[in-house]
Amino acid sequence: MARVAARLSTEGKQSTHPVDEVLPLPKLALYGFQHVLAFYAGAVIVPIIVGNALKLSPEQLVYLINADLFTCGIASIIQAWGIGRIGARLPLIQGVTFTAVSPMIAIGLGAGGGTAALLVIYGAVITAGIATFAFAWLPAKAFRTVMRLFPPVVTGTVITVLGIVLLPVGLNDAAGGLGSPDFGDPKHFAYAGGTMLFILVLMKIGKPFLSSISILLGLVGGTAVAFLLGDAKFGDVGKSDWIGVTTPFHFGVPKFEWFPIVLMLIVMLITMVETTGDTYAVGDIVGKDVDSETVARALRADGAATALGGVLNSFPYVAFAENVGLVRMTKVKSRFVVVAAGVFMIILGLLPKAAAIVAAVPHGVLGGAATVMFGMVALAGIQTLAKVDLKEEKNALIVGVSLAFALLPATVPVFFTKHMDADLSSLLNSGVTLGATAAIVLNLIFNGLAKDDAHDTPRAGTPAVAGAGDDTPDDGKVAAAVPAQAASPAPGAEKADDADASPSAP
């Protein structure tokens, strides 16, 4: 293994920074698997929700889950290990971003659903990933200008909108899955309510690690009860192969359409803010200086992973806030623990039977867990807005009007489906897109670009879903949502230290 960064100890001898420490193999395996447990539910829930919305077959859904886990593992290794000037070399787990769920569903439904919809989504994902990767190499001034579009009033609004828009997705699953013959059957709500109650109890009385995997345990417990009552079917598990390899362009050659690409570029702008916040957050936790080059390397890893995701039948990637909270709780700072977690995820991604078990989770159980997760995303946005002066009328208008725009597709869907061109509808028929665009435009009108010193909020993590396990004083369960780092240094703006700027892989 190549040289790792070293620092001078108080005795004048060289010592390895905890981030670069290679722990003994048993500890690497144990701590790495712990990261997988904290991450797993959030990782698999996105392909399940998107796949169900697009009416994919059980076999196609199993493939999506495997592809997601496989690519998550590769992306996490790139981010934590580092390849040249790609990857932050910090303990950051990469996962599919929730920001993309609603836009991808809108793109997919606009393309008619099924695997044909996946091809349009993947074309947009690959293009957005390449654009993000290229953006992270831009000069400092261009990088800083874009990030100044996202002051706290914008990011807080966008995060709140994201949670609110996703809540109906979770509630539809809680009702049995939109379009299912028994949609709205009380038994589905019973499973959802039981799962939700179990998760909340775990978060209330459980120890920190137990809270961090409460979503996963809720899914397992709810599915077990449904199986005992005859409502969870695992017939597809027996039909699935033991080993399955994710191959590029499994569903066909991606289609590159302008409107879906524009929509996915907006998604990636938001994920850049999330990753920037997470990079600073984990840097503070592990005691590692985060400079402009570190942020740029993290964003390059995001872009590379997202483009790779489109090739390997997965979705856009972002640094996962859940695992930032876990690093804070456990105080295990080694980035090689994340590398070990990446290896575990790659192995899981090669096991179709494991994915088939996940795909068999009943809609009601999934809806109960998803509703908790999405509700906590909305709460994280509200926590961010609490740092904004909403007594200032212009800020209040930005938030209020943006929320109204975000609710338009859900409240008046006929406007988009019957009175709008199909391509334009695929772009605008998304609460996240409309809400985020409204927030950015209104902020420019009322406040203009944020100044470089406009952010006086502390650097911390981006919004976390339930089970993040953060120990912030606000609620003890959710990672603090601290938004855009418009004031943070841009790539190339300052010289990285020798260890961070080294172009060689660790």
Side-chain angles (χ1 to χ4, degrees), residues 84-85 89 291 293-294 297 495-504:
R85 296 179 65 188
R89 293 180 175 86
D291 57 20
E293 177 63 14
T294 308
R297 290 202 309 258
K495 182 180 179 181
D497 60 45
D498 291 341
D500 286 345
S502 174
S504 59

Side-chain angles (χ1 to χ4, degrees), residues 305-387:
T306 297
L308 182 65
V311 172
L312 293 180
N313 320 289
S314 190
F315 304 115
Y317 283 87
V318 69
F320 246 43
E322 292 95 322
N323 295 81
V324 173
L326 186 60
V327 172
R328 174 174 290 173
M329 282 192 314
T330 63
K331 304 296 189 293
V332 178
K333 302 177 180 180
S334 172
R335 60 192 171 98
F336 295 103
V337 168
V338 170
V339 174
V343 173
F344 278 122
M345 284 185 278
I346 290 174
I347 294 172
L348 286 172
L350 297 173
L351 302 175
K353 282 192 182 295
I357 294 173
V358 174
V361 174
H363 280 286
V365 174
L366 177 64
T371 300
V372 174
M373 295 175 74
F374 298 151
M376 298 308 284
V377 171
L379 173 62
I382 294 171
Q383 287 177 323
T384 300
L385 289 175
K387 301 182 175 88

Side-chain angles (χ1 to χ4, degrees), residues 150-481:
F150 298 93
V153 67
V154 172
T155 52
T157 302
V158 171
I159 295 164
T160 304
V161 163
L162 175 61
I164 291 174
V165 168
L166 288 176
L167 276 171
V169 177
L171 292 173
N172 280 331
D173 270 323
L178 193 62
S180 63
D182 57 351
F183 183 73
D185 191 311
K187 74 174 181 180
H188 297 304
F189 287 111
Y191 285 129
T195 302
M196 187 183 300
L197 179 62
F198 183 53
I199 292 170
L200 295 177
V201 169
L202 287 176
M203 293 181 67
K204 176 64 178 177
I205 67 175
K207 295 183 181 299
F209 175 64
L210 194 61
S211 296
S212 74
I213 61 171
S214 59
I215 295 292
L216 178 62
L217 294 179
L219 290 171
V220 172
T223 303
V225 172
F227 176 74
L228 293 175
L229 296 178
D231 290 320
K233 311 297 182 183
F234 292 94
D236 290 323
V237 177
K239 301 175 185 176
S240 300
D241 296 328
W242 280 103
I243 302 294
V245 179
T246 297
T247 55
F249 308 123
H250 173 78
F251 297 102
V253 179
K255 295 181 179 179
F256 299 88
E257 299 182 3
W258 284 107
F259 285 109
I261 288 172
V262 171
L263 180 54
M264 202 55 62
L265 287 173
I266 295 173
V267 168
M268 291 308 295
L269 279 174
I270 299 171
T271 62
M272 283 193 290
V273 177
E274 295 180 34
T275 291
T276 300
D278 276 336
T279 303
Y280 279 109
V282 80
D284 287 341
I285 292 168
V286 302
K288 185 83 168 178
D289 292 336
V290 171
D291 57 20
S292 60
E293 177 63 14
T294 308
V295 173
R297 290 202 309 258
L299 294 177
R300 290 167 199 154
D302 267 8
T306 297
L308 182 65
V311 172
L312 293 180
N313 320 289
S314 190
F315 304 115
Y317 283 87
V318 69
F320 246 43
E322 292 95 322
N323 295 81
V324 173
L326 186 60
V327 172
R328 174 174 290 173
M329 282 192 314
T330 63
K331 304 296 189 293
V332 178
K333 302 177 180 180
S334 172
R335 60 192 171 98
F336 295 103
V337 168
V338 170
V339 174
V343 173
F344 278 122
M345 284 185 278
I346 290 174
I347 294 172
L348 286 172
L350 297 173
L351 302 175
K353 282 192 182 295
I357 294 173
V358 174
V361 174
H363 280 286
V365 174
L366 177 64
T371 300
V372 174
M373 295 175 74
F374 298 151
M376 298 308 284
V377 171
L379 173 62
I382 294 171
Q383 287 177 323
T384 300
L385 289 175
K387 301 182 175 88
V388 177
D389 182 11
L390 294 179
K391 293 181 180 179
E392 185 72 38
E393 185 175 345
K394 56 187 179 182
N395 288 333
L397 284 172
I398 293 169
V399 177
V401 175
S402 299
L403 288 174
F405 270 92
L407 293 174
L408 182 60
T411 51
V412 194
V414 67
F415 173 69
F416 300 91
T417 58
K418 292 187 178 181
H419 303 289
M420 189 176 290
D421 175 78
D423 287 336
L424 187 60
S425 176
S426 69
L427 173 64
L428 298 180
N429 192 12
S430 163
V432 176
T433 303
L434 289 181
T437 303
I440 293 170
V441 172
L442 289 173
N443 180 68
L444 286 174
I445 292 172
F446 286 109
N447 295 324
L449 282 176
K451 297 180 180 179
D452 281 352
D453 59 352
H455 287 67
D456 54 5
T457 55
R459 293 168 177 170
T462 51
V465 296
D470 198 356
D471 57 359
T472 54
D474 289 332
D475 56 15
K477 303 294 181 187
V478 183

